[in-house]
Amino acid sequence: MVGPFRKFACSSSNRWILPLALCTVLTGTAPVSAQDAAPAQSKVSQFVDEILESEVEFKVGLRRSKIIKMKQDVFRIAISDPEVVEVVAFGSREIEVIGRSNGSTTVTLWLGTQQQATTLSMLVTVTKDDSVEDRRRFEYGELQIMINELFPNSKIQLIPVADKLIVRGQARDEQESIQIMAVLAKNGAGGGGGGGGSSNGQQLIVNGQAADPFPDSSKLPQATIVNMVSVPGVKQVMLKVRIAELKRSALRTLGVSFDGAFKEFTYNALLPVGANTLAGVFTEGKFNLMIQALSNNGSAKILAEPNLVTLSGNTATFLSGGEFAVPTVVGVGGAQAATTSFKGFGTSINFTPTVLDHDRIRLRVSPTFSTLNKNNSVGGVFGLDTRTINTTVELREGQVFALGGLLQEEQRGDKSWVPGLGDIPVVRTFFSTKSISRDETELLILVTPELVHPIESEDTPMLLPGMQVTEPDDIEFFCKGHIEGRPNCHHRSTVWPLYRDRLCECRRNGNTQYNRSQNYYINGPHGFSE
């Protein structure tokens, strides 16, 4: 050992011998014997004078610095990772080491003169700044106290962890949860509200960047909010929906069709054929006259009463109608391919309930009413006549929300006539046809939200719809004309003839065989036969 340095060399016995592993690294080969190691040690000794390791190790805090005063002049500095530390020189004998990021790196100094230089290697470790974490805990703790005073019905806890701010606790209702997140968020919008996640009120939502705890406080590292605030209470909402739609239509048509041949003159007029026809034949020459008069009135009623169950904040969808195929061609040139998608029509309603309080619900309703329109078809695909509404209301549990006033009236009139003759007032009826149609549609939607719980297995009703519907026996079906049997009669036409013969045989032979036959033919509430 010479001075503060350790000197390694591969030479004669009066010097330090380089370790075998280091010789392997420098030469690229692994000596296996003394005869093989001698040439390698000679080569390393010829080119390598010394290998320096870090002689000094010290720590510096993040965003902190240490000043080192040297006894000799420093004329060169090398930093392995400038992202970890920064070195600033003050004169020739003073340097300042500044911690920039967590980690370790090597700083090498060349002292003295270039002709007689001394090298010093230092291992610098940058540690985390505990004062910043303490400052974050203190300031977010003060903000936590202020929020709990501002919202006394809620209990919130702010926990800074790494680059995140965890918000946990309970909020009184959904509205207070949104307001709390709006206070904490940087943009003041809350970034996604709180509560309404799952049925037990728990959720885990990342809500964007957190705002500084206090405008006049020191600048803290930016944190991401993780919302773990729960809103107690029932989160399952059942929507009782009643949809009533009434359509009325009326049609009136009047027209005349006739054809005639008067010697060398022939005239033919064809008008639409109606339900009521008056025809006459004139014997002089050939002349046929037909008058059509049609009056039609129709009405249609649609009533649907679905019950939809969904979680708070989730959307429930109801569709009463149908779907039609829409072909789509994708690709270019010879790489085209045809696909088919289906488009729905009819009455479609989307409901999004949000529980704000223990019995206050915000309901967003988006109904869409569409009908097929053959006159608006493209490429053989029907068009749609659509009416869409989007509204949001707040109501208590059990109250009724009515969406009414959805009236639509459509009136259409057509008239055609023979030019000239159809303009004469007296005879225009015989040379013209006209029709008038009128359609009226009235729609009413009633929605009643209710908070519901799942029922226990022992509370499940034993009798479900259809369980008491049985097959009638031969007498009830053939003689009485019944298509449903009595609830206590379990007649089965598939096995009853064989079962009846086996039953009669068992009764003749004794009850032992009869009881054994029940294992093969079990009817009624016990199960089915084998």
Side-chain angles (χ1 to χ4, degrees):
M1 186 73 66
V2 180
F5 304 100
R6 288 182 294 174
K7 187 174 182 180
F8 299 92
C10 297
S11 59
S12 59
S13 59
N14 58 351
R15 297 185 180 180
W16 293 94
I17 303 300
L18 194 65
L20 181 60
L22 186 57
C23 291
T24 302
V25 174
L26 295 177
T27 60
T29 60
V32 295
S33 62
Q35 291 82 1
D36 297 334
Q41 294 177 358
S42 176
K43 186 176 181 180
V44 172
S45 176
Q46 180 181 358
F47 294 102
V48 179
D49 183 25
E50 61 181 358
I51 298 177
L52 300 181
E53 294 182 350
S54 299
E55 295 102 1
V56 179
E57 181 178 354
F58 65 92
K59 298 179 181 180
V60 60
L62 182 64
R63 292 184 294 273
R64 298 292 186 269
S65 66
K66 287 186 177 181
I67 297 178
I68 303 175
K69 296 182 178 181
M70 312 301 298
K71 296 182 179 181
Q72 298 182 14
D73 295 337
V74 179
F75 63 89
R76 186 186 302 166
I77 301 175
I79 305 174
S80 300
D81 189 358
E83 297 294 332
V84 177
V85 297
E86 179 182 0
V87 179
V88 180
F90 300 99
S92 60
R93 296 193 176 186
E94 291 184 358
I95 61 173
E96 182 181 15
V97 181
I98 304 173
R100 299 185 60 183
S101 61
N102 293 331
S104 299
T105 187
T106 302
V107 178
T108 306
L109 307 178
W110 281 264
L111 308 174
T113 60
Q114 296 185 358
Q115 292 75 15
Q116 298 179 352
T118 303
T119 307
L120 175 63
S121 180
M122 300 182 298
L123 179 62
V124 183
T125 301
V126 180
T127 59
K128 67 177 183 179
D129 191 359
D130 295 334
S131 62
V132 176
E133 296 298 326
D134 296 339
R135 184 67 177 175
R136 289 183 63 193
R137 293 189 182 93
F138 173 76
E139 293 188 359
Y140 282 119
E142 294 292 326
L143 182 60
Q144 171 184 321
I145 296 175
M146 295 178 61
I147 291 178
N148 289 328
E149 291 179 356
L150 184 61
F151 302 96
N153 296 320
S154 301
K155 185 65 175 179
I156 301 300
Q157 185 178 7
L158 304 180
I159 305 175
V161 177
D163 60 341
K164 295 177 176 59
L165 176 63
I166 299 177
V167 186
R168 57 177 298 181
Q170 285 189 352
R172 177 181 179 272
D173 52 35
E174 191 79 17
Q175 191 68 22
E176 282 199 7
S177 177
I178 296 175
Q179 293 174 355
I180 291 172
M181 300 311 301
V183 172
L184 295 176
K186 184 176 182 180
N187 55 5
S198 59
S199 59
N200 58 2
Q202 298 291 336
Q203 69 169 3
L204 179 61
I205 302 176
V206 177
N207 285 328
Q209 300 298 326
D212 293 335
F214 301 98
D216 297 335
S217 63
S218 60
K219 187 67 176 178
L220 296 177
Q222 194 64 260
T224 302
I225 297 179
V226 179
N227 182 7
M228 298 180 63
V229 178
S230 62
V231 180
V234 181
K235 296 300 177 183
Q236 293 186 134
V237 183
M238 182 178 68
L239 302 174
K240 294 183 177 180
V241 185
R242 286 178 291 175
I243 304 174
E245 184 177 0
L246 180 62
K247 295 182 179 180
R248 298 186 181 95
S249 61
L251 174 66
R252 289 183 295 170
T253 304
L254 178 63
V256 177
S257 298
F258 63 91
D259 62 271
F262 303 95
K263 295 184 179 180
E264 297 180 356
F265 177 77
T266 302
Y267 181 81
N268 189 355
L270 296 177
L271 297 177
V273 178
N276 300 326
T277 302
L278 176 63
V281 178
F282 298 86
T283 58
E284 295 294 334
K286 182 183 179 182
F287 186 84
N288 297 326
L289 175 65
M290 184 171 57
I291 300 176
Q292 301 92 20
L294 176 65
S295 179
N296 184 15
N297 290 87
S299 62
K301 180 181 69 173
I302 299 176
L303 181 63
E305 297 185 9
N307 291 336
L308 309 177
V309 179
T310 182
L311 294 178
S312 175
N314 295 337
T315 301
T317 302
F318 169 77
L319 173 63
S320 176
E323 294 182 343
F324 61 94
V326 179
T328 304
V329 178
V330 296
V332 179
Q336 291 183 351
T339 61
T340 302
S341 59
F342 289 86
K343 180 71 174 179
F345 68 93
T347 302
S348 175
I349 307 179
N350 294 332
F351 301 94
T352 306
T354 302
V355 180
L356 302 180
D357 204 343
H358 63 281
D359 63 343
R360 188 162 59 97
I361 302 172
R362 176 177 297 168
L363 184 61
R364 184 173 185 177
V365 185
S366 300
T368 301
F369 312 100
S370 57
T371 57
L372 295 177
N373 186 355
K374 299 181 180 180
N375 298 325
N376 192 21
S377 61
V378 177
V381 180
F382 294 149
L384 293 177
D385 294 333
T386 305
R387 292 174 291 165
T388 302
I389 302 173
N390 192 348
T391 182
T392 303
V393 296
E394 289 187 5
L395 64 165
R396 297 287 182 181
E397 179 186 5
Q399 293 182 339
V400 181
F401 164 64
L403 186 61
L406 303 177
L407 302 176
Q408 181 179 358
E409 295 185 2
E410 182 180 356
Q411 181 174 339
R412 183 174 60 254
D414 298 321
K415 181 179 180 182
S416 61
W417 65 91
V418 178
L421 297 177
D423 297 331
I424 302 175
V426 179
V427 296
R428 74 174 47 169
T429 302
F430 299 95
F431 296 93
S432 65
T433 177
K434 48 186 173 290
S435 64
I436 295 177
S437 63
R438 183 183 182 90
D439 296 327
E440 298 176 357
T441 303
E442 182 178 359
L443 186 66
L444 177 64
I445 301 175
L446 301 177
V447 183
T448 303
E450 291 185 2
L451 301 177
V452 294
H453 299 268
I455 61 176
E456 301 296 335
S457 58
E458 59 270 13
D459 298 332
T460 306
M462 299 300 297
L463 296 178
L464 300 178
M467 293 183 62
Q468 292 183 326
V469 177
T470 61
E471 183 182 1
D473 56 16
D474 294 341
I475 297 177
E476 291 180 342
F477 178 73
F478 291 107
C479 299
K480 300 181 180 180
H482 296 171
I483 60 174
E484 293 185 6
R486 296 187 301 273
N488 57 352
C489 179
H490 300 282
H491 177 83
R492 296 179 62 198
S493 58
T494 55
V495 299
W496 173 248
L498 180 61
Y499 177 60
R500 179 184 53 195
D501 298 339
R502 183 69 59 84
L503 180 62
C504 295
E505 181 182 356
C506 293
R507 287 178 177 176
R508 289 193 300 268
N509 297 331
N511 293 332
T512 303
Q513 295 183 0
Y514 171 74
N515 294 331
R516 188 166 56 248
S517 68
Q518 287 184 339
N519 296 327
Y520 298 94
Y521 301 102
I522 300 177
N523 291 300
H526 303 287
F528 300 98
S529 62
E530 298 179 357

